[in-house]
Amino acid sequence: MVRQFDDDTQTDDDLSKSERTRGDILAAAACLFRHEGYYATTMRSIAQETGIEAGSIYYHFDSKDQILSEVLDIGVRALYEQVSSIIRANKGHPERFRETFAQLIETHLTYLLTTSDYTSANIRNYPMLSDEARAPHRDLRASYARVWSEFLEEAKEADLLRRDISVSAIRQFVLSAMNWTVEWYDVDRHPVHVLAERMSNLILDGMSSRHRADTGGSKMISHIAYKAPEATGKAAKTRSDILLAAARVLRDNGFKATTLRQIAAEADMQAGSVYYHFKSKEEIVDEVLNAGLSDLLSGVSAAVEEFHEPYDHYARIATAIWTHLDFLFKASEFTSANIRSYGMLPNHFRERHGKIRHDYGRLWDRILRDAQKDDAIRSDIKIVPLRQVMLGALNWTVEWFDPNRTGADGYLSLPEFSEMLIKLLLEGICNRADPTEQVQIH
């Protein structure tokens, strides 16, 4: 049999080979987009990863944008169809809520971490794309969000979810906790189903040993004795301006797509002038990343030091969460740049800043272990995974919460948003009639 395409004849074998090559190109691109980022990936690198000549790629795709669009679509469509199928099969059975929720968590995490480079590529690249590149994929992503919302809404109507927080906020919280795992979870060390079970139980019931956690003694950032150092002198001020400009560019574009020219333009100076203060882009980025982590560690440490034994554990944890979010959105542009760009940094950058990340993790581990020792945190929770999931849920908020929209259509302010996340992390998403009820271990 012969098929006709634009006056050229192709046999079934030819067509099959062409389709296979096309699929290989998409798979190679998905892998590169996942690990290197869209902006740092070139058509040449995609061809090389595929094992074909660079020019041959244009026989199958007109541009890198076309490849990206197909990768993004594949990344969400298969996940959407699988999750939709699970929800349809359990619709009208609220008694299966916990079981279904756990199944949905494991499905999302499996696609994100093991099954599909396409899904990971979508999650990691979409936030940094232009509005034009995002536009064709908004409907599908909205459909995926909608099936989660419908599932959670049914649970709320059955009085299974807490009523003081909207379904849309709960959905965003759940997806945030899962999506950040692509930045830290090592599937070679622990199977996904272990992470899924722990995450499901934490999200449903919270970390508190009681469902209602009193955080009335928490302290806001304005009460905390931490202040970032200010630059003095003209040279120091210019240097500081360059670093702030670099933080903004790095936050929006990622490491590999950030250039000295872009940094100079953001700082409103000539590109050559940057070299009076820094030897290279790498030196600038290195200082930005270090400042982001140093600010965060210093700020949260200062917040925790406001508390003395015997600790008010819920207030202490709430204050640390509140401070983390304040640095992420308000107090330090370096912190948000670090968080958003971390996933695609070269290994040598990660290694250089590994110690301070480790110090920050240890600070949180101490806060959480102190609380668990005094029975404020459930005894069945392992502290390190708890900290990773919790910080992941907080860090991913930079991709969807906009503190500048305060007051628009009931949009939450940063303090209100922080209080909401604190409730969800401490108390979980489930409803319980008795506020003194002890959380059951599953």
Side-chain angles (χ1 to χ4, degrees):
M1 175 181 177
V2 175
R3 297 180 183 179
Q4 189 74 23
F5 293 95
D6 297 330
D7 297 326
D8 290 328
T9 58
Q10 286 185 308
T11 66
D12 281 337
D13 287 344
D14 291 335
L15 182 61
S16 177
K17 181 180 179 182
S18 175
E19 289 173 343
R20 285 197 302 271
T21 302
R22 198 174 194 280
D24 290 344
I25 292 169
L26 288 172
C31 183
L32 288 169
F33 293 157
R34 173 182 183 174
H35 295 289
E36 302 292 332
Y38 167 72
Y39 292 111
T41 299
T42 65
M43 291 289 269
R44 183 176 296 277
S45 64
I46 295 171
Q48 184 176 3
E49 183 74 12
T50 309
I52 62 176
E53 294 295 326
S56 302
I57 201 169
Y58 290 99
Y59 176 80
H60 304 276
F61 297 96
D62 294 332
S63 65
K64 187 175 75 167
D65 286 346
Q66 184 188 358
I67 296 175
L68 172 71
S69 188
E70 294 205 28
V71 167
L72 294 178
D73 185 81
I74 293 169
V76 173
R77 190 168 300 281
L79 176 60
Y80 163 69
E81 290 172 354
Q82 184 63 28
V83 164
S84 297
S85 176
I86 294 169
I87 291 174
R88 282 195 304 269
N90 291 278
K91 190 172 181 61
H93 294 281
E95 73 279 3
R96 301 178 190 165
F97 170 67
R98 295 184 70 95
E99 177 186 348
T100 305
F101 184 83
Q103 190 178 1
L104 294 175
I105 293 288
E106 184 167 353
T107 299
H108 186 104
L109 290 174
T110 299
Y111 270 85
L112 188 61
L113 298 173
T114 61
T115 300
S116 176
D117 280 337
Y118 295 93
T119 304
S120 297
N122 187 304
I123 295 300
R124 301 188 80 185
N125 287 276
Y126 188 84
M128 289 188 176
L129 298 176
S130 66
D131 286 342
E132 183 181 1
R134 293 186 190 190
H137 307 282
R138 288 199 178 102
D139 287 347
L140 180 57
R141 291 173 71 92
S143 295
Y144 184 62
R146 192 157 48 246
V147 296
W148 271 93
S149 290
E150 290 169 358
F151 167 71
L152 294 169
E153 193 63 58
E154 182 181 26
K156 180 171 274 194
E157 289 172 2
D159 208 26
L160 298 173
L161 288 192
R162 60 189 306 155
R163 294 190 169 277
D164 59 331
I165 296 177
S166 70
V167 161
S168 63
I170 291 174
R171 183 201 73 233
Q172 290 276 29
F173 169 73
V174 172
L175 295 180
S176 291
M178 292 192 291
N179 286 344
W180 189 259
T181 59
V182 76
E183 306 296 357
W184 63 268
Y185 195 71
D186 185 353
V187 295
D188 294 327
R189 294 185 62 187
H190 304 288
V192 173
H193 73 84
V194 173
L195 171 65
E197 181 180 5
R198 289 173 176 170
M199 184 176 288
S200 178
N201 286 334
L202 175 62
I203 291 172
L204 289 170
D205 298 323
M207 70 175 83
S208 169
S209 58
R210 293 185 177 272
H211 189 64
R212 292 291 179 261
D214 182 8
T215 60
S218 59
K219 305 177 191 302
M220 298 297 100
I221 194 74
S222 58
H223 302 150
I224 295 168
Y226 168 76
K227 185 173 178 61
E230 295 183 3
T232 56
K234 183 177 179 180
K237 177 67 167 59
T238 301
R239 202 172 191 278
S240 177
D241 290 343
I242 293 170
L243 290 172
L244 280 171
R248 297 186 191 110
V249 176
L250 185 65
R251 178 191 62 203
D252 295 336
N253 296 337
F255 171 75
K256 292 195 175 181
T258 294
T259 65
L260 275 174
R261 188 175 298 278
Q262 290 171 324
I263 293 170
E266 181 69 24
D268 194 23
M269 60 191 301
Q270 296 296 317
S273 301
V274 174
Y275 288 104
Y276 284 107
H277 304 275
F278 298 95
K279 295 177 182 177
S280 65
K281 181 188 87 169
E282 285 71 19
E283 183 182 350
I284 298 174
V285 171
D286 202 44
E287 290 207 29
V288 168
L289 296 174
N290 187 67
L293 290 171
S294 297
D295 286 352
L296 188 59
L297 177 60
S298 298
V300 176
S301 295
V304 173
E305 287 169 5
E306 295 285 310
F307 293 85
H308 305 284
E309 295 188 82
Y311 296 123
D312 180 345
H313 290 291
Y314 295 138
R316 191 180 184 216
I317 291 170
T319 299
I321 291 173
W322 200 96
T323 307
H324 182 101
L325 288 167
D326 193 77
F327 273 85
L328 205 54
F329 287 103
K330 181 181 175 184
S332 174
E333 290 188 83
F334 299 112
T335 300
S336 58
N338 188 300
I339 296 301
R340 291 202 76 198
S341 63
Y342 175 75
M344 293 179 186
L345 291 175
N347 286 334
H348 66 275
F349 268 107
R350 293 196 191 199
E351 290 167 2
R352 280 210 293 272
H353 302 282
K355 183 183 182 302
I356 192 167
R357 281 186 176 275
H358 182 65
D359 289 344
Y360 189 60
R362 287 199 307 172
L363 170 64
W364 270 103
D365 292 347
R366 175 165 56 86
I367 296 168
L368 297 171
R369 284 199 175 98
D370 286 345
Q372 191 175 59
K373 183 178 66 176
D374 289 343
D375 199 32
I377 286 181
R378 293 159 45 190
S379 61
D380 63 314
I381 293 180
K382 293 184 180 297
I383 292 300
V384 173
L386 165 62
R387 178 249 300 168
Q388 290 171 319
V389 171
M390 181 194 69
L391 293 181
L394 298 179
N395 289 342
W396 194 259
T397 59
V398 298
E399 308 297 358
W400 60 275
F401 177 70
D402 183 357
N404 298 318
R405 287 183 59 188
T406 297
D409 300 322
Y411 211 75
L412 298 178
S413 66
L414 180 57
E416 292 168 334
F417 178 71
S418 300
E419 288 298 323
M420 180 193 73
L421 289 178
I422 288 165
K423 286 182 180 180
L424 290 171
L425 285 164
L426 284 172
E427 302 171 351
I429 67 173
C430 286
N431 179 46
R432 285 184 179 80
D434 181 1
T436 65
E437 180 184 350
Q438 190 81 15
V439 174
Q440 298 298 309
I441 297 173
H442 303 281

